[in-house]
Amino acid sequence: MTAAAAGNAAAVTVDRPTVTPGTEYLAYAYLQPPTLSSVAWLELRFYDSNGNQIQVTRATLAPPGTGMYRQLLSAVAPASAATCGIAAGLDGAAAGQVLRLETVVVRSLIPLVTGTVLPYASGSFEQGTGGWLVTSGPATLARSTPWGAAAYSGNYALTVTSATAATSTLRSPLAPVTEGVNWRAQIIVRHSAGSWTSATVRVRWYDAASVSLGTSTGVAYAVPPGSWYLLTSDAVAPAGATQAAVEIVAVAGSATSVLWVDGVALWQVLPLTAVEAVSADGYVQVTLRELPADYLISLYRVTSDGARTLVRGPDGLIDQQPLESDTMVLEDHEAPLGVDVSYRVELYSNPGVLAATRSSDPVLLTHSDINTAWLKDPGNPQRNVRVLVQTAPEWERPIEQAAHVVRGRRNKVILSGRRQGLEGDLAIWTRTDAERQALHLLLDSGNVLLWQAAPGMGVSDMYVSVASISEGRVTHLAQEQWRTWTLPLTEQDAPVTVGVNGAAGRTWQDVLTEFSTWADLLDVYGTWEAVWLDQRG
């Protein structure tokens, strides 16, 4: 295209391919400006069925030289759009100046992430800042320049500049979401200049009237210099949420700090870390997804005071154990009752080399009847029993002592060991034959058990060993199913190497989902107990 005279010059395609209203389209062309200072641009234009132009979107090239540079832009076809076209031009051209074009394309958009609800312009920043705003703090936003100087996707990135060491919050345009499902926010960032202490990725939710419903907890990441880093955060949209925006809370550690942001997406996905309280059976189900192959994993249960306890898995406490799958589903039968807990995942690329962490939302196990307590086998949760408490133990704490009488001294010399743990008798009832048989099954193994009483009953969760038991009738009537039991308890340390032998929540539906015929079961399991415990040969 040659400018016939000084001024603005433009050319437009004759071909006008058809479009579908509501569909997002990507246009691009290779542009060669006549000079470095030339204002060269590309436009995507939409027309109605009568050929009237009804929408235009422009992207201006920021050339690093006078070579050929691909300029991208995107737009959603408006409601009455029937066709589209591409235009290119020079603003402020001198007479005779030439703009060269090559490989001019318009096509349906392939999104940065399948299912993302953010438009391409707000995630790739090819034609500007994509509608992003600074809602607090001193940061300013601009498209990176020149072409190719900073980009992970396409040729430009969002440039975040903080003139002072301070915290700034950046927010994307609103996008449609569905309440009650999990959404993942993603950004790809690179430290450019200065110092960045951290970047937190979170989602702000809105109702249909664009009223804020608050933000998700978010995940904070360190942003060291040297490379592009993919940062994600998962959250479930609250009730009433119909729109959402991705937010970045960026903390600049020094003046004149610059951060590049690219590849922003928000899409519905199964959560990386999901927790579900199964209060009727006294456990929390923990589901971990998208775990990296060949890594090691540690899983902690975290209480509100910050205390961490390793969670038990098939091979004992999960402390830097090798990952065997990208998905892990666990039943935590040792989670406390009536207390908010969350779960922290630590992933190690090598022993002792921490590579990544993630955390779950809080979860609460409820206990409806304060007169009952759980007796659990940490290694065999299928045998766990909830019993009716008759009398709590009167505790004793024995101690080994040797008393010596020294001639000529009034007082004996006592040599003591360390005072031992609690010992006492727990009196309980079973109310049915099924409860009685289940308690016998639990006690048969002689394993260390976990005793969990209702919150507020003055008894902390305790690992115990049960000595010789007594079982008595409550009446002389033979048909009476109630039994009274005395369980002598001795406090124990939590078992470390004991693994979980199957799942309490396993049902016939789990078997039917995985196996088509009984013959398939015979090839995998040796006994019916192995089917029940999911112990595969």
Side-chain angles (χ1 to χ4, degrees):
M1 185 205 71
T2 303
N8 298 337
V12 64
T13 56
V14 175
D15 290 332
R16 292 187 181 177
T18 58
V19 296
T20 301
T23 300
E24 190 171 10
Y25 291 89
L26 178 72
Y28 65 84
Y30 287 85
L31 305 178
Q32 184 180 28
T35 66
L36 183 60
S37 61
S38 298
V39 180
W41 51 263
L42 193 70
E43 287 182 348
L44 175 57
R45 299 177 177 180
F46 291 100
Y47 304 87
D48 63 17
S49 57
N50 296 319
N52 300 312
Q53 181 178 303
I54 54 175
Q55 179 177 295
V56 61
T57 304
R58 175 180 287 199
T60 302
L61 178 69
T66 56
M68 280 279 187
Y69 309 103
R70 188 177 67 164
Q71 178 62 53
L72 299 96
L73 76 156
S74 62
V76 176
S80 57
T83 62
C84 71
I86 294 179
L90 293 172
D91 284 353
Q97 281 189 333
V98 175
L99 173 68
R100 292 182 172 85
L101 294 92
E102 176 63 271
T103 313
V104 182
V105 172
V106 61
R107 61 174 171 80
S108 297
L109 179 73
I110 298 175
L112 295 171
V113 174
T114 301
T116 181
V117 293
L118 281 177
Y120 183 81
S122 300
S124 188
F125 309 104
E126 297 304 300
Q127 56 220 56
T129 57
W132 280 70
L133 300 172
V134 178
T135 60
S136 67
T140 59
L141 304 179
R143 187 183 70 167
S144 61
T145 190
W147 181 98
Y152 185 88
S153 172
N155 305 301
Y156 304 93
L158 181 67
T159 301
V160 182
T161 304
S162 181
T164 59
T167 300
S168 298
T169 301
L170 324 175
R171 186 180 301 163
S172 76
L174 299 184
V177 296
T178 303
E179 65 180 0
V181 297
N182 188 78
W183 294 84
R184 179 171 302 165
Q186 167 192 293
I187 66 171
I188 302 175
V189 300
R190 182 171 181 175
H191 175 290
S192 175
S195 171
W196 291 95
T197 304
S198 66
T200 299
V201 184
R202 67 189 189 188
V203 181
R204 182 171 292 275
W205 311 103
Y206 295 86
D207 63 15
S210 299
V211 176
S212 175
L213 302 176
T215 65
S216 63
T217 303
V219 180
Y221 296 87
V223 187
S227 185
W228 289 94
Y229 296 94
L230 187 148
L231 316 180
T232 63
S233 176
D234 280 27
V236 175
T242 61
Q243 303 175 89
V246 177
E247 283 194 347
I248 305 170
V249 181
V251 182
S254 64
T256 319
S257 294
V258 179
L259 184 71
W260 289 324
V261 180
D262 206 354
V264 183
L266 177 65
W267 72 104
Q268 183 182 336
V269 65
L270 291 172
L272 290 174
T273 304
V275 290
E276 178 186 358
V278 186
S279 297
D281 295 322
Y283 69 89
V284 175
Q285 181 170 290
V286 183
T287 304
L288 309 177
R289 299 182 178 89
E290 300 182 38
L291 298 170
D294 301 326
Y295 272 51
L296 307 174
I297 183 172
S298 293
L299 180 61
Y300 293 92
R301 182 191 317 114
V302 184
T303 51
S304 57
D305 60 359
R308 299 181 186 178
T309 305
L310 287 167
V311 176
R312 194 176 308 278
D315 299 315
L317 299 181
I318 304 174
D319 185 12
Q320 297 194 42
Q321 292 183 359
L323 283 168
E324 299 179 356
S325 172
D326 64 348
T327 302
M328 180 181 292
V329 181
L330 299 167
E331 293 178 358
D332 182 15
H333 290 265
E334 295 163 82
L337 306 175
V339 177
D340 279 327
V341 297
S342 60
Y343 291 84
R344 174 181 170 87
V345 181
E346 294 184 350
L347 299 170
Y348 295 81
S349 56
N350 288 292
V353 182
L354 183 63
T357 64
R358 63 170 86 157
S359 297
S360 77
D361 292 329
V363 63
L364 176 70
L365 273 178
T366 59
H367 192 73
S368 57
D369 187 351
I370 63 172
N371 298 305
T372 62
W374 280 101
L375 286 171
K376 299 179 176 180
D377 185 338
N380 299 278
Q382 311 86 358
R383 300 173 181 172
N384 295 348
V385 177
R386 185 160 50 183
V387 295
L388 184 62
V389 177
Q390 179 180 358
T391 307
E394 299 288 342
W395 294 115
E396 295 182 358
R397 291 195 64 193
I399 188 170
E400 290 185 353
Q401 291 183 331
H404 299 273
V405 178
V406 180
R407 185 174 183 178
R409 290 191 58 171
R410 176 175 179 271
N411 297 325
K412 293 180 179 181
V413 175
I414 307 296
L415 301 179
S416 298
R418 187 171 182 179
R419 192 167 300 279
Q420 298 168 26
L422 300 174
E423 296 183 10
D425 293 341
L426 173 64
I428 62 173
W429 286 297
T430 54
R431 293 160 289 187
T432 64
D433 288 340
E435 279 189 3
R436 178 166 56 88
Q437 293 166 3
L439 184 57
H440 274 300
L441 180 62
L442 174 71
L443 298 173
D444 281 349
S445 68
N447 295 337
V448 172
L449 304 181
L450 173 62
W451 176 36
Q452 290 183 310
M457 301 303 287
V459 181
S460 301
D461 291 359
M462 184 184 302
Y463 293 91
V464 295
S465 179
V466 183
S468 298
I469 63 173
S470 64
E471 175 190 346
R473 294 177 178 270
V474 297
T475 71
H476 295 293
L477 183 64
Q479 295 90 342
E480 176 59 63
Q481 296 189 34
W482 279 59
R483 299 289 187 273
T484 179
W485 302 70
T486 300
L487 308 182
L489 307 182
T490 301
E491 186 177 12
Q492 300 285 288
D493 293 329
V496 175
T497 58
V498 172
V500 179
N501 188 11
R506 183 166 169 79
T507 68
W508 281 116
Q509 184 58 56
D510 297 319
V511 178
L512 291 171
T513 299
E514 191 168 359
F515 299 95
S516 300
T517 67
W518 291 116
D520 295 335
L521 284 169
L522 292 173
D523 293 336
V524 177
Y525 301 105
T527 65
W528 282 115
E529 183 183 43
V531 176
W532 181 38
L533 301 177
D534 197 20
Q535 294 177 337
R536 307 184 181 218

